Amino acid sequence: MADKSSIEWTDATWNPVTGCTKITSGCDNCYAYRFAERFRGVPNHPFEQGFDLTLRPGRIEQPLGWRKSRMIFVNSMSDLFHKDVPLRFVDKVFDTMEAADWHIFQLLTKRSSRMRNYLNNRYLENPPPSHIWLGVSVEDKKGAARIEHLRQSKAAVRFLSVEPLIGPVGDINLDGIHWVIAGGESGPGARPMHIDWAREIRDICEEQNVEFFFKQWGGFRPKSGGRELDGREWNGFPDVGKSAAA
């Protein structure tokens, strides 16, 4: 677990799973893959196996020992709903999140249908916890289908990470969505983000009364282009009380 994160919309990261496999064009220049593969074969390094999917049961209870409340990005180096992560392991992660209710957990996936099925089964008879925020990654119009899976999921707070934004998303319906993060790609070979794509998402959020957070323009380094869109920063966060009632 990283006590402090450079990711603008969270405070810390927690990785009970690391590693993943690429499934969309949004994964092509994955920062986590690039980082982990640098250490493949290094003896005793946490990423000795590179970006191979790895369960880390020793990390399951880490947030329980973190007494100060914070926002925690879950699996910044993986996808908890990857098909090769056993549901019994997912259960343990959710057990910890539910118990550590003084934190806010932010969980993102591209495996949106598996997440929907899991959540709707886990919270079949009980309301989902308001401190566990569930989101999907959407990189362009092709990824927009994941939004419907998210909308069908039992979650108190639903959010989108439209990053890396590598194409227009189109006229999306944000009914039941509480927060949208958008940003450009960073790192070697970063694909440029067109300003009209970012404006389109911002305008849709404003029209549909959804909080909007503009993370970065991207470039060779994450902060290369700054964080301003049309002369200002956009730092919206969901109103948890209002979202939980929606």
Side-chain angles (χ1 to χ4, degrees):
M1 186 187 288
D3 188 7
K4 294 182 180 180
S5 173
S6 62
I7 300 171
E8 290 82 355
W9 47 264
T10 198
D11 298 321
T13 57
W14 171 44
N15 285 285
V17 181
T18 57
C20 199
T21 50
K22 299 181 179 184
I23 59 169
T24 76
S25 56
C27 303
D28 288 351
N29 295 323
C30 176
Y31 74 91
Y33 173 87
R34 188 170 62 248
F35 176 85
E37 285 297 319
R38 290 167 52 198
F39 302 102
R40 181 179 289 277
V42 177
N44 301 316
H45 192 279
F47 290 102
E48 183 178 356
Q49 303 304 317
F51 207 50
D52 296 350
L53 188 77
T54 306
L55 306 183
R56 301 188 181 270
R59 299 180 180 180
I60 285 285
E61 297 185 354
Q62 284 180 331
L64 296 172
W66 216 340
R67 303 312 303 175
K68 182 180 177 181
S69 176
R70 66 203 68 195
M71 291 184 292
I72 301 172
F73 180 16
V74 182
N75 277 358
S76 62
M77 298 293 291
S78 186
D79 188 329
L80 185 64
F81 291 100
H82 190 287
K83 63 182 178 63
D84 292 333
V85 178
L87 289 180
R88 63 183 179 276
F89 193 87
V90 178
D91 284 339
K92 292 179 180 179
V93 173
F94 270 79
D95 289 345
T96 291
M97 292 193 293
E98 289 171 0
D101 59 3
W102 56 93
H103 299 308
I104 289 175
F105 293 92
Q106 302 157 306
L107 197 158
L108 270 174
T109 187
K110 284 188 174 73
R111 282 79 174 176
S112 51
S113 59
R114 193 175 193 225
M115 179 183 74
R116 175 199 58 198
N117 296 343
Y118 178 84
L119 293 174
N120 292 352
N121 181 66
R122 186 174 184 95
Y123 300 117
L124 182 63
E125 299 179 354
N126 298 298
S130 62
H131 69 287
I132 301 178
W133 301 2
L134 283 303
V136 296
S137 298
V138 177
E139 63 276 353
D140 55 19
K141 189 175 295 186
K142 293 179 181 178
R146 298 178 207 124
I147 301 173
E148 186 58 32
H149 293 156
L150 178 62
R151 196 179 356 261
Q152 296 167 355
S153 302
K154 289 197 70 174
V157 178
R158 303 180 191 90
F159 71 102
L160 308 182
S161 175
V162 190
E163 184 189 13
L165 181 56
I166 58 173
V169 296
D171 187 15
I172 54 176
N173 175 13
L174 297 179
D175 183 44
I177 308 302
H178 307 104
W179 189 32
V180 176
I181 305 161
E185 190 168 61
S186 61
R191 293 161 285 187
M193 176 178 63
H194 197 289
I195 190 171
D196 287 343
W197 304 343
R199 285 172 171 163
E200 176 185 48
I201 296 169
R202 178 203 58 197
D203 293 348
I204 290 172
C205 287
E206 291 191 316
E207 290 167 5
Q208 300 187 36
N209 197 30
V210 173
E211 294 291 343
F212 176 69
F213 190 103
F214 186 69
K215 179 174 176 257
Q216 64 183 37
W217 280 103
F220 185 76
R221 294 180 177 84
K223 304 185 189 304
S224 295
R227 294 195 54 234
E228 290 191 355
L229 172 61
D230 289 334
R232 57 161 286 193
E233 290 187 358
W234 302 80
N235 295 313
F237 268 83
D239 181 328
V240 177
K242 182 170 65 177
S243 300

